[in-house]
Structure formats: C-alpha cells, structure tokens
C-alpha cells in the first residue's frame, strides 16, 4: 500500500535534505521520538505539516518548508491496525525498561508547570519500547522499513471529547527506499 506523507521543516532543513538526502538513521536532535529513530511525516495532512514547520521555523528564526512524499508501506509496523498490537504487548516484558518516565495523555487535562510543558511530548518510554520492538523484529528476521501510528494531540473539542484538534497519523520512515517520490510544496 502507498500513502502520501508531509514532512514539516525549516528552510535550513530543506537545504540539508537537498544536500544530504533524507536521513533515517541518525537523530537530528536528542529529544526522544514517538516511534523511535527515523524521518517523520504526517499522513495525508499537509496543513499539519505546514503548522509544524511554521512553529519550528518561528523558534529558529527561519522560513518553513514542507516536503510531500509517496511512501510504500511494505515492511511497515502498522499500529493503526490491530495486527501488531498483540505481538507488541506479548513481548513487552522482553523489551527492557526505559531510562526515564514520560508524561502521559492525562497531562493534557491539567495545568502544567513550565518544566512539564517542555517535557509534554518527550516520549522517553514510547521511544524505548518501539526501538526495542523493532530490534526484536529484526532479530527474528522481519525487516522494519517504517512505522505508522495514530496520535492524540492538541485540545479536545469539548470537555468529554476524544476528538482533538491536532490528532494525526504519523509515519516514521526508517529506510529511505520506501520513499518513492518527494517534492517540495
């Protein structure tokens, strides 16, 4: 199956990608990622990528840039379907313990300190478990070229709602060969 993803970055990020290509095997920063190491895209969500790019560019004093890419989901750990969840849960005891705890979704419903706000999406535990799960799958002979999952983010549309205004499906590309086309928009 093929999907379209959008990567939000800065003008400098664009220049780096044009010069070095898409990097999937090194962290661009030290902050833990939701789905482990890789190149992140918003599936079918150009406006989400544009908003992310605008926020990052503003913090860095740069212009935003958005990359549109067609991604082949072969060898994808697809957490938007239930197939991998049982395997992940059944193997959780084999994945070790993370070094640090993270704030969970309950933090979205309370007033956070400044330090907590900075840590809100630092997903230490998720990063650890996904990275260890991918290593386990590879050890068993199952290549993992990408990971796809749905995320609740932002604010609910009312106090009891499960609909959040920045929810999205993210794709973490772990192998450049699944990106079949890419263009700046």
């Amino acid at each position: 199956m093929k999907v379209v993803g959008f990567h939000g970055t800065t003008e400098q990020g664009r220049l780096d990608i044009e010069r070095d290509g898409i990097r999937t095997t090194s962290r661009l920063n030290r902050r833990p990622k939701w789905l482990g190491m890789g190149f992140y895209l918003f599936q079918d969500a150009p406006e989400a990528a544009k908003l992310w790019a605008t926020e990052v560019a503003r913090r860095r004093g740069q212009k935003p840039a958005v990359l549109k890419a067609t991604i082949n989901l072969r060898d994808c750990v697809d957490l938007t379907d239930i197939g991998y969840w049982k395997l992940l849960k059944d193997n959780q005891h084999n994945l070790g313990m993370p070094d640090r705890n993270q704030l969970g979704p309950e933090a979205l419903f309370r007033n956070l300190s400044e330090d907590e706000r900075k840590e809100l999406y630092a997903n230490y535990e998720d990063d650890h478990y996904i990275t260890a799960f991918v290593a386990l799958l590879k050890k068993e002979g199952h290549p993992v070229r990408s990971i796809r999952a749905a995320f609740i983010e932002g604010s609910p549309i009312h106090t009891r709602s499960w609909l959040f205004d920045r929810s999205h499906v993210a794709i973490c590309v772990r192998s450049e060969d699944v990106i079949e086309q890419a263009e700046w928009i």
Side-chain angles (χ1 to χ4, degrees):
M1 176 170 53
K2 295 179 184 180
V3 297
V4 176
F6 298 86
H7 176 78
T9 188
T10 63
E11 188 62 31
Q12 183 59 54
R14 176 185 178 148
L15 294 172
D16 292 346
I17 290 169
E18 289 174 349
R19 182 189 66 234
D20 302 329
I22 292 171
R23 292 186 276 172
T24 61
T25 57
S26 64
R27 289 201 190 281
L28 298 178
N29 60 44
R30 296 180 188 269
R31 193 171 176 96
K33 305 298 184 190
W34 291 1
L35 299 172
M37 193 172 4
F39 185 77
Y40 280 72
L41 301 103
F42 294 92
Q43 181 178 324
D44 300 318
E47 292 302 315
K50 183 177 178 183
L51 178 61
W52 174 254
T54 301
E55 290 173 355
V56 172
R58 184 177 341 111
R59 286 194 305 265
R60 296 180 184 169
Q62 297 181 29
K63 293 180 181 178
V66 175
L67 181 72
K68 176 182 177 183
T70 301
I71 303 154
N72 187 322
L73 293 180
R74 73 180 183 277
D75 299 324
C76 178
V77 172
D78 191 351
L79 300 176
T80 66
D81 196 1
I82 61 173
Y84 277 97
W85 283 106
K86 181 172 179 4
L87 186 60
L88 177 60
K89 288 178 181 179
D90 287 351
N91 282 286
Q92 192 166 357
H93 64 281
N94 295 325
L95 304 179
M97 295 299 295
D99 295 333
R100 266 176 96 170
N101 293 333
Q102 68 189 39
L103 292 173
E106 77 285 348
L108 296 172
F109 298 100
R110 62 181 172 86
N111 291 328
L112 301 175
S113 70
E114 185 63 31
D115 288 342
E116 287 176 316
R117 268 195 292 281
K118 291 176 183 174
E119 291 289 306
L120 184 56
Y121 295 109
N123 294 38
Y124 303 102
E125 294 173 70
D126 294 340
D127 181 270
H128 168 82
Y129 287 121
I130 292 296
T131 299
F133 185 56
V134 167
L136 178 70
L137 291 172
K138 284 184 176 183
K139 183 178 176 183
E140 293 178 355
H142 304 288
V144 177
R145 289 186 167 83
S146 64
I147 304 168
R148 179 168 69 161
F151 293 96
I152 293 174
E153 192 175 2
S155 301
I157 62 170
H158 60 82
T159 56
R160 293 178 311 280
S161 181
W162 285 96
L163 301 173
F164 283 67
D165 62 1
R166 292 185 68 172
S167 294
H168 60 278
V169 173
I171 300 169
C172 174
V173 171
R174 300 178 63 88
S175 178
E176 302 89 27
D177 67 344
V178 299
I179 297 177
E180 296 186 351
Q181 295 178 27
E183 65 179 315
W184 295 100
I185 58 170

